[in-house]
């Protein structure tokens, strides 16, 4: 029992002080670590490394990674696909008793889906200054004109989530340069 508490305390510290102040718990950090594993697998498949987990308490309802390249589907964002599948699995589109952990700040499309799915709480890792809609460019889920406004906790394992993305795109640029050199 004591060991579990200690592990939980370590996990919460990993989340970062702001995330802890905003309500992140050990289970939320654990789900973000799970999302990071999904993101790592996505990167190996050539997908942008973003992973998402929809969970209820400690139970994973559904998890997914980006799959736009594999499916040719422009809506193949990790969190959108995970929410869609969670609704199907539960037989209900309302996910009010569920939380969402995603490694990258949701875009406008995904933030709108979060509101429409009535997700209970949202946790994300890295901010997305180019397309983020949960605090960076917009804060769609907190808009007072909407009928559902879930709490958003940003920055859980932000550095590690950001490093996954940075490394992926750096490798892509290196590969493009090697290909350009080989072609020239």
């Amino acid at each position: 029992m004591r060991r579990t508490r200690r592990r939980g305390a370590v996990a919460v510290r990993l989340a970062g002080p702001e995330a802890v102040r905003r309500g992140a718990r050990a289970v939320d950090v654990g789900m973000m670590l799970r999302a990071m594993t999904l993101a790592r697998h996505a990167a190996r498949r050539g997908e942008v490394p973003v992973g998402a987990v929809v969970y209820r308490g400690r139970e994973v309802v559904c998890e997914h990674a980006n799959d736009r390249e594999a499916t040719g589907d422009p809506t193949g964002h990790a969190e959108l696909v995970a929410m869609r599948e969670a609704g199907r699995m539960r037989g209900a589109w309302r996910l009010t008793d569920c939380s969402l952990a995603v490694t990258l700040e949701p875009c406008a499309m995904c933030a709108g889906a979060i509101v429409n799915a009535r997700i209970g709480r949202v946790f994300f890792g890295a901010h997305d200054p180019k397309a983020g809609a949960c605090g960076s460019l917009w804060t769609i889920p907190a808009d007072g004109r909407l009928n559902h406004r879930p709490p958003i906790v940003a920055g859980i394992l932000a550095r590690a989530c950001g490093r996954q993305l940075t490394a992926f795109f750096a490798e892509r640029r290196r590969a493009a340069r090697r290909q350009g050199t080989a072609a020239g």
Side-chain angles (χ1 to χ4, degrees), residues 91-123:
W93 61 267
R94 285 184 185 87
L95 301 173
T96 53
D97 58 343
C98 295
S99 297
L100 171 70
V102 60
T103 57
L104 181 64
E105 178 181 0
C107 68
M109 173 180 67
C110 295
I114 286 166
V115 171
N116 283 304
R118 311 297 198 268
I119 288 284
R121 301 178 314 145
V122 178
F123 298 90

PDB file of all heavy atoms in Angstrom, residues 91-123:
ATOM      1  N   GLY A  91     -21.534   2.727 -26.411  1.00  0.00           N
ATOM      2  CA  GLY A  91     -22.890   2.840 -26.933  1.00  0.00           C
ATOM      3  C   GLY A  91     -23.537   4.166 -26.593  1.00  0.00           C
ATOM      4  O   GLY A  91     -24.762   4.263 -26.530  1.00  0.00           O
ATOM      5  N   ALA A  92     -22.721   5.182 -26.371  1.00  0.00           N
ATOM      6  CA  ALA A  92     -23.235   6.516 -26.029  1.00  0.00           C
ATOM      7  C   ALA A  92     -22.215   7.566 -26.441  1.00  0.00           C
ATOM      8  O   ALA A  92     -21.014   7.375 -26.252  1.00  0.00           O
ATOM      9  CB  ALA A  92     -23.486   6.610 -24.524  1.00  0.00           C
ATOM     10  N   TRP A  93     -22.690   8.660 -26.992  1.00  0.00           N
ATOM     11  CA  TRP A  93     -21.771   9.701 -27.421  1.00  0.00           C
ATOM     12  C   TRP A  93     -21.340  10.619 -26.283  1.00  0.00           C
ATOM     13  O   TRP A  93     -20.327  11.295 -26.382  1.00  0.00           O
ATOM     14  CB  TRP A  93     -22.376  10.510 -28.569  1.00  0.00           C
ATOM     15  CG  TRP A  93     -23.650  11.222 -28.220  1.00  0.00           C
ATOM     16  CD1 TRP A  93     -24.923  10.754 -28.389  1.00  0.00           C
ATOM     17  CD2 TRP A  93     -23.786  12.533 -27.655  1.00  0.00           C
ATOM     18  NE1 TRP A  93     -25.834  11.695 -27.956  1.00  0.00           N
ATOM     19  CE2 TRP A  93     -25.165  12.802 -27.508  1.00  0.00           C
ATOM     20  CE3 TRP A  93     -22.883  13.515 -27.269  1.00  0.00           C
ATOM     21  CZ2 TRP A  93     -25.654  13.992 -26.987  1.00  0.00           C
ATOM     22  CZ3 TRP A  93     -23.358  14.702 -26.752  1.00  0.00           C
ATOM     23  CH2 TRP A  93     -24.740  14.934 -26.615  1.00  0.00           C
ATOM     24  N   ARG A  94     -22.110  10.635 -25.206  1.00  0.00           N
ATOM     25  CA  ARG A  94     -21.737  11.489 -24.057  1.00  0.00           C
ATOM     26  C   ARG A  94     -20.668  10.780 -23.230  1.00  0.00           C
ATOM     27  O   ARG A  94     -20.888   9.699 -22.721  1.00  0.00           O
ATOM     28  CB  ARG A  94     -22.953  11.763 -23.179  1.00  0.00           C
ATOM     29  CG  ARG A  94     -23.905  12.759 -23.769  1.00  0.00           C
ATOM     30  CD  ARG A  94     -25.056  13.054 -22.788  1.00  0.00           C
ATOM     31  NE  ARG A  94     -26.037  13.927 -23.379  1.00  0.00           N
ATOM     32  CZ  ARG A  94     -27.064  13.514 -24.111  1.00  0.00           C
ATOM     33  NH1 ARG A  94     -27.249  12.226 -24.326  1.00  0.00           N
ATOM     34  NH2 ARG A  94     -27.915  14.381 -24.621  1.00  0.00           N
ATOM     35  N   LEU A  95     -19.534  11.439 -23.078  1.00  0.00           N
ATOM     36  CA  LEU A  95     -18.413  10.872 -22.337  1.00  0.00           C
ATOM     37  C   LEU A  95     -18.113  11.722 -21.096  1.00  0.00           C
ATOM     38  O   LEU A  95     -16.963  11.945 -20.737  1.00  0.00           O
ATOM     39  CB  LEU A  95     -17.183  10.777 -23.248  1.00  0.00           C
ATOM     40  CG  LEU A  95     -17.361   9.930 -24.515  1.00  0.00           C
ATOM     41  CD1 LEU A  95     -16.151  10.047 -25.421  1.00  0.00           C
ATOM     42  CD2 LEU A  95     -17.646   8.484 -24.164  1.00  0.00           C
ATOM     43  N   THR A  96     -19.179  12.175 -20.436  1.00  0.00           N
ATOM     44  CA  THR A  96     -19.027  13.101 -19.305  1.00  0.00           C
ATOM     45  C   THR A  96     -18.269  12.498 -18.135  1.00  0.00           C
ATOM     46  O   THR A  96     -17.627  13.228 -17.381  1.00  0.00           O
ATOM     47  CB  THR A  96     -20.405  13.587 -18.801  1.00  0.00           C
ATOM     48  OG1 THR A  96     -21.214  12.441 -18.528  1.00  0.00           O
ATOM     49  CG2 THR A  96     -21.086  14.471 -19.810  1.00  0.00           C
ATOM     50  N   ASP A  97     -18.320  11.194 -17.974  1.00  0.00           N
ATOM     51  CA  ASP A  97     -17.617  10.570 -16.851  1.00  0.00           C
ATOM     52  C   ASP A  97     -16.215  10.099 -17.240  1.00  0.00           C
ATOM     53  O   ASP A  97     -15.566   9.376 -16.495  1.00  0.00           O
ATOM     54  CB  ASP A  97     -18.431   9.401 -16.293  1.00  0.00           C
ATOM     55  CG  ASP A  97     -18.723   8.335 -17.334  1.00  0.00           C
ATOM     56  OD1 ASP A  97     -18.588   8.607 -18.543  1.00  0.00           O
ATOM     57  OD2 ASP A  97     -19.103   7.219 -16.940  1.00  0.00           O
ATOM     58  N   CYS A  98     -15.745  10.543 -18.394  1.00  0.00           N
ATOM     59  CA  CYS A  98     -14.429  10.148 -18.887  1.00  0.00           C
ATOM     60  C   CYS A  98     -13.475  11.338 -18.908  1.00  0.00           C
ATOM     61  O   CYS A  98     -13.891  12.494 -19.000  1.00  0.00           O
ATOM     62  CB  CYS A  98     -14.529   9.593 -20.308  1.00  0.00           C
ATOM     63  SG  CYS A  98     -15.457   8.058 -20.425  1.00  0.00           S
ATOM     64  N   SER A  99     -12.192  11.013 -18.856  1.00  0.00           N
ATOM     65  CA  SER A  99     -11.130  12.000 -19.004  1.00  0.00           C
ATOM     66  C   SER A  99     -10.379  11.674 -20.284  1.00  0.00           C
ATOM     67  O   SER A  99     -10.440  10.546 -20.790  1.00  0.00           O
ATOM     68  CB  SER A  99     -10.167  11.950 -17.820  1.00  0.00           C
ATOM     69  OG  SER A  99     -10.829  12.293 -16.631  1.00  0.00           O
ATOM     70  N   LEU A 100      -9.658  12.662 -20.788  1.00  0.00           N
ATOM     71  CA  LEU A 100      -8.862  12.499 -21.999  1.00  0.00           C
ATOM     72  C   LEU A 100      -7.448  12.958 -21.708  1.00  0.00           C
ATOM     73  O   LEU A 100      -7.251  14.080 -21.230  1.00  0.00           O
ATOM     74  CB  LEU A 100      -9.454  13.325 -23.141  1.00  0.00           C
ATOM     75  CG  LEU A 100      -8.621  13.438 -24.414  1.00  0.00           C
ATOM     76  CD1 LEU A 100      -8.557  12.102 -25.153  1.00  0.00           C
ATOM     77  CD2 LEU A 100      -9.181  14.520 -25.330  1.00  0.00           C
ATOM     78  N   ALA A 101      -6.477  12.099 -21.981  1.00  0.00           N
ATOM     79  CA  ALA A 101      -5.062  12.472 -21.906  1.00  0.00           C
ATOM     80  C   ALA A 101      -4.516  12.410 -23.324  1.00  0.00           C
ATOM     81  O   ALA A 101      -4.652  11.387 -24.001  1.00  0.00           O
ATOM     82  CB  ALA A 101      -4.297  11.522 -20.997  1.00  0.00           C
ATOM     83  N   VAL A 102      -3.912  13.497 -23.784  1.00  0.00           N
ATOM     84  CA  VAL A 102      -3.372  13.551 -25.138  1.00  0.00           C
ATOM     85  C   VAL A 102      -2.019  14.256 -25.089  1.00  0.00           C
ATOM     86  O   VAL A 102      -1.847  15.228 -24.353  1.00  0.00           O
ATOM     87  CB  VAL A 102      -4.375  14.225 -26.111  1.00  0.00           C
ATOM     88  CG1 VAL A 102      -4.710  15.642 -25.695  1.00  0.00           C
ATOM     89  CG2 VAL A 102      -3.878  14.176 -27.546  1.00  0.00           C
ATOM     90  N   THR A 103      -1.074  13.767 -25.863  1.00  0.00           N
ATOM     91  CA  THR A 103       0.298  14.259 -25.765  1.00  0.00           C
ATOM     92  C   THR A 103       0.497  15.652 -26.346  1.00  0.00           C
ATOM     93  O   THR A 103       1.448  16.332 -25.982  1.00  0.00           O
ATOM     94  CB  THR A 103       1.275  13.281 -26.453  1.00  0.00           C
ATOM     95  OG1 THR A 103       0.894  13.098 -27.822  1.00  0.00           O
ATOM     96  CG2 THR A 103       1.282  11.945 -25.731  1.00  0.00           C
ATOM     97  N   LEU A 104      -0.365  16.092 -27.235  1.00  0.00           N
ATOM     98  CA  LEU A 104      -0.263  17.417 -27.848  1.00  0.00           C
ATOM     99  C   LEU A 104      -1.576  18.160 -27.668  1.00  0.00           C
ATOM    100  O   LEU A 104      -2.650  17.556 -27.768  1.00  0.00           O
ATOM    101  CB  LEU A 104       0.051  17.288 -29.349  1.00  0.00           C
ATOM    102  CG  LEU A 104       0.209  18.569 -30.156  1.00  0.00           C
ATOM    103  CD1 LEU A 104       1.403  19.387 -29.665  1.00  0.00           C
ATOM    104  CD2 LEU A 104       0.354  18.261 -31.639  1.00  0.00           C
ATOM    105  N   GLU A 105      -1.491  19.432 -27.434  1.00  0.00           N
ATOM    106  CA  GLU A 105      -2.685  20.270 -27.274  1.00  0.00           C
ATOM    107  C   GLU A 105      -3.635  20.072 -28.455  1.00  0.00           C
ATOM    108  O   GLU A 105      -3.213  20.165 -29.612  1.00  0.00           O
ATOM    109  CB  GLU A 105      -2.264  21.740 -27.200  1.00  0.00           C
ATOM    110  CG  GLU A 105      -3.394  22.708 -27.077  1.00  0.00           C
ATOM    111  CD  GLU A 105      -2.909  24.154 -27.032  1.00  0.00           C
ATOM    112  OE1 GLU A 105      -1.686  24.388 -27.093  1.00  0.00           O
ATOM    113  OE2 GLU A 105      -3.775  25.036 -26.956  1.00  0.00           O
ATOM    114  N   PRO A 106      -4.896  19.789 -28.195  1.00  0.00           N
ATOM    115  CA  PRO A 106      -5.855  19.578 -29.278  1.00  0.00           C
ATOM    116  C   PRO A 106      -6.021  20.805 -30.185  1.00  0.00           C
ATOM    117  O   PRO A 106      -5.959  21.949 -29.733  1.00  0.00           O
ATOM    118  CB  PRO A 106      -7.157  19.260 -28.541  1.00  0.00           C
ATOM    119  CG  PRO A 106      -6.703  18.668 -27.246  1.00  0.00           C
ATOM    120  CD  PRO A 106      -5.475  19.465 -26.889  1.00  0.00           C
ATOM    121  N   CYS A 107      -6.233  20.524 -31.472  1.00  0.00           N
ATOM    122  CA  CYS A 107      -6.494  21.567 -32.465  1.00  0.00           C
ATOM    123  C   CYS A 107      -7.964  21.987 -32.369  1.00  0.00           C
ATOM    124  O   CYS A 107      -8.726  21.458 -31.553  1.00  0.00           O
ATOM    125  CB  CYS A 107      -6.188  21.037 -33.862  1.00  0.00           C
ATOM    126  SG  CYS A 107      -7.330  19.739 -34.407  1.00  0.00           S
ATOM    127  N   ALA A 108      -8.375  22.907 -33.220  1.00  0.00           N
ATOM    128  CA  ALA A 108      -9.755  23.393 -33.197  1.00  0.00           C
ATOM    129  C   ALA A 108     -10.762  22.272 -33.476  1.00  0.00           C
ATOM    130  O   ALA A 108     -11.803  22.183 -32.813  1.00  0.00           O
ATOM    131  CB  ALA A 108      -9.934  24.524 -34.202  1.00  0.00           C
ATOM    132  N   MET A 109     -10.454  21.400 -34.420  1.00  0.00           N
ATOM    133  CA  MET A 109     -11.357  20.294 -34.736  1.00  0.00           C
ATOM    134  C   MET A 109     -11.534  19.382 -33.522  1.00  0.00           C
ATOM    135  O   MET A 109     -12.653  19.026 -33.154  1.00  0.00           O
ATOM    136  CB  MET A 109     -10.789  19.480 -35.916  1.00  0.00           C
ATOM    137  CG  MET A 109     -11.552  18.217 -36.229  1.00  0.00           C
ATOM    138  SD  MET A 109     -10.845  17.280 -37.621  1.00  0.00           S
ATOM    139  CE  MET A 109      -9.276  16.733 -36.951  1.00  0.00           C
ATOM    140  N   CYS A 110     -10.427  19.022 -32.892  1.00  0.00           N
ATOM    141  CA  CYS A 110     -10.479  18.109 -31.751  1.00  0.00           C
ATOM    142  C   CYS A 110     -11.080  18.786 -30.523  1.00  0.00           C
ATOM    143  O   CYS A 110     -11.822  18.150 -29.766  1.00  0.00           O
ATOM    144  CB  CYS A 110      -9.087  17.567 -31.450  1.00  0.00           C
ATOM    145  SG  CYS A 110      -8.467  16.535 -32.810  1.00  0.00           S
ATOM    146  N   ALA A 111     -10.790  20.065 -30.330  1.00  0.00           N
ATOM    147  CA  ALA A 111     -11.376  20.799 -29.201  1.00  0.00           C
ATOM    148  C   ALA A 111     -12.891  20.863 -29.349  1.00  0.00           C
ATOM    149  O   ALA A 111     -13.625  20.702 -28.365  1.00  0.00           O
ATOM    150  CB  ALA A 111     -10.778  22.197 -29.109  1.00  0.00           C
ATOM    151  N   GLY A 112     -13.376  21.066 -30.562  1.00  0.00           N
ATOM    152  CA  GLY A 112     -14.817  21.058 -30.800  1.00  0.00           C
ATOM    153  C   GLY A 112     -15.423  19.694 -30.506  1.00  0.00           C
ATOM    154  O   GLY A 112     -16.494  19.586 -29.907  1.00  0.00           O
ATOM    155  N   ALA A 113     -14.712  18.635 -30.886  1.00  0.00           N
ATOM    156  CA  ALA A 113     -15.193  17.281 -30.607  1.00  0.00           C
ATOM    157  C   ALA A 113     -15.199  17.009 -29.104  1.00  0.00           C
ATOM    158  O   ALA A 113     -16.100  16.339 -28.596  1.00  0.00           O
ATOM    159  CB  ALA A 113     -14.325  16.255 -31.333  1.00  0.00           C
ATOM    160  N   ILE A 114     -14.225  17.539 -28.389  1.00  0.00           N
ATOM    161  CA  ILE A 114     -14.175  17.385 -26.929  1.00  0.00           C
ATOM    162  C   ILE A 114     -15.427  17.993 -26.304  1.00  0.00           C
ATOM    163  O   ILE A 114     -16.060  17.389 -25.440  1.00  0.00           O
ATOM    164  CB  ILE A 114     -12.889  18.025 -26.368  1.00  0.00           C
ATOM    165  CG1 ILE A 114     -11.680  17.152 -26.701  1.00  0.00           C
ATOM    166  CG2 ILE A 114     -12.999  18.275 -24.863  1.00  0.00           C
ATOM    167  CD1 ILE A 114     -10.339  17.833 -26.500  1.00  0.00           C
ATOM    168  N   VAL A 115     -15.780  19.175 -26.753  1.00  0.00           N
ATOM    169  CA  VAL A 115     -16.989  19.840 -26.238  1.00  0.00           C
ATOM    170  C   VAL A 115     -18.222  19.022 -26.602  1.00  0.00           C
ATOM    171  O   VAL A 115     -19.077  18.763 -25.752  1.00  0.00           O
ATOM    172  CB  VAL A 115     -17.101  21.280 -26.786  1.00  0.00           C
ATOM    173  CG1 VAL A 115     -18.453  21.887 -26.449  1.00  0.00           C
ATOM    174  CG2 VAL A 115     -15.973  22.146 -26.246  1.00  0.00           C
ATOM    175  N   ASN A 116     -18.306  18.596 -27.842  1.00  0.00           N
ATOM    176  CA  ASN A 116     -19.488  17.857 -28.293  1.00  0.00           C
ATOM    177  C   ASN A 116     -19.607  16.482 -27.659  1.00  0.00           C
ATOM    178  O   ASN A 116     -20.720  15.985 -27.475  1.00  0.00           O
ATOM    179  CB  ASN A 116     -19.500  17.758 -29.816  1.00  0.00           C
ATOM    180  CG  ASN A 116     -19.943  19.056 -30.432  1.00  0.00           C
ATOM    181  OD1 ASN A 116     -21.012  19.548 -30.126  1.00  0.00           O
ATOM    182  ND2 ASN A 116     -19.096  19.641 -31.280  1.00  0.00           N
ATOM    183  N   ALA A 117     -18.492  15.850 -27.307  1.00  0.00           N
ATOM    184  CA  ALA A 117     -18.523  14.547 -26.638  1.00  0.00           C
ATOM    185  C   ALA A 117     -18.764  14.701 -25.145  1.00  0.00           C
ATOM    186  O   ALA A 117     -18.951  13.711 -24.453  1.00  0.00           O
ATOM    187  CB  ALA A 117     -17.211  13.801 -26.879  1.00  0.00           C
ATOM    188  N   ARG A 118     -18.749  15.937 -24.668  1.00  0.00           N
ATOM    189  CA  ARG A 118     -18.950  16.226 -23.237  1.00  0.00           C
ATOM    190  C   ARG A 118     -17.890  15.541 -22.365  1.00  0.00           C
ATOM    191  O   ARG A 118     -18.171  15.077 -21.266  1.00  0.00           O
ATOM    192  CB  ARG A 118     -20.333  15.803 -22.751  1.00  0.00           C
ATOM    193  CG  ARG A 118     -21.517  16.249 -23.572  1.00  0.00           C
ATOM    194  CD  ARG A 118     -21.664  17.771 -23.623  1.00  0.00           C
ATOM    195  NE  ARG A 118     -22.996  18.167 -24.049  1.00  0.00           N
ATOM    196  CZ  ARG A 118     -23.342  18.399 -25.316  1.00  0.00           C
ATOM    197  NH1 ARG A 118     -22.466  18.262 -26.278  1.00  0.00           N
ATOM    198  NH2 ARG A 118     -24.577  18.780 -25.597  1.00  0.00           N
ATOM    199  N   ILE A 119     -16.652  15.484 -22.865  1.00  0.00           N
ATOM    200  CA  ILE A 119     -15.548  14.905 -22.086  1.00  0.00           C
ATOM    201  C   ILE A 119     -15.485  15.599 -20.730  1.00  0.00           C
ATOM    202  O   ILE A 119     -15.602  16.820 -20.642  1.00  0.00           O
ATOM    203  CB  ILE A 119     -14.212  15.067 -22.851  1.00  0.00           C
ATOM    204  CG1 ILE A 119     -14.158  14.129 -24.049  1.00  0.00           C
ATOM    205  CG2 ILE A 119     -13.012  14.855 -21.936  1.00  0.00           C
ATOM    206  CD1 ILE A 119     -13.898  12.680 -23.736  1.00  0.00           C
ATOM    207  N   GLY A 120     -15.277  14.829 -19.676  1.00  0.00           N
ATOM    208  CA  GLY A 120     -15.280  15.363 -18.316  1.00  0.00           C
ATOM    209  C   GLY A 120     -14.078  16.220 -17.973  1.00  0.00           C
ATOM    210  O   GLY A 120     -14.215  17.291 -17.381  1.00  0.00           O
ATOM    211  N   ARG A 121     -12.859  15.766 -18.332  1.00  0.00           N
ATOM    212  CA  ARG A 121     -11.631  16.501 -18.042  1.00  0.00           C
ATOM    213  C   ARG A 121     -10.640  16.250 -19.168  1.00  0.00           C
ATOM    214  O   ARG A 121     -10.605  15.160 -19.736  1.00  0.00           O
ATOM    215  CB  ARG A 121     -10.989  16.039 -16.731  1.00  0.00           C
ATOM    216  CG  ARG A 121     -11.879  16.197 -15.529  1.00  0.00           C
ATOM    217  CD  ARG A 121     -11.237  15.683 -14.227  1.00  0.00           C
ATOM    218  NE  ARG A 121     -10.616  14.384 -14.382  1.00  0.00           N
ATOM    219  CZ  ARG A 121      -9.498  13.996 -13.758  1.00  0.00           C
ATOM    220  NH1 ARG A 121      -8.887  14.804 -12.929  1.00  0.00           N
ATOM    221  NH2 ARG A 121      -9.009  12.791 -13.934  1.00  0.00           N
ATOM    222  N   VAL A 122      -9.818  17.257 -19.461  1.00  0.00           N
ATOM    223  CA  VAL A 122      -8.829  17.156 -20.532  1.00  0.00           C
ATOM    224  C   VAL A 122      -7.447  17.429 -19.960  1.00  0.00           C
ATOM    225  O   VAL A 122      -7.242  18.436 -19.272  1.00  0.00           O
ATOM    226  CB  VAL A 122      -9.121  18.159 -21.671  1.00  0.00           C
ATOM    227  CG1 VAL A 122      -8.051  18.078 -22.749  1.00  0.00           C
ATOM    228  CG2 VAL A 122     -10.505  17.930 -22.249  1.00  0.00           C
ATOM    229  N   PHE A 123      -6.509  16.547 -20.261  1.00  0.00           N
ATOM    230  CA  PHE A 123      -5.113  16.704 -19.870  1.00  0.00           C
ATOM    231  C   PHE A 123      -4.277  16.629 -21.135  1.00  0.00           C
ATOM    232  O   PHE A 123      -4.449  15.707 -21.923  1.00  0.00           O
ATOM    233  CB  PHE A 123      -4.687  15.574 -18.925  1.00  0.00           C
ATOM    234  CG  PHE A 123      -5.474  15.566 -17.652  1.00  0.00           C
ATOM    235  CD1 PHE A 123      -6.640  14.837 -17.558  1.00  0.00           C
ATOM    236  CD2 PHE A 123      -5.049  16.302 -16.558  1.00  0.00           C
ATOM    237  CE1 PHE A 123      -7.384  14.833 -16.386  1.00  0.00           C
ATOM    238  CE2 PHE A 123      -5.780  16.312 -15.392  1.00  0.00           C
ATOM    239  CZ  PHE A 123      -6.955  15.579 -15.302  1.00  0.00           C
TER     240      PHE A 123
END
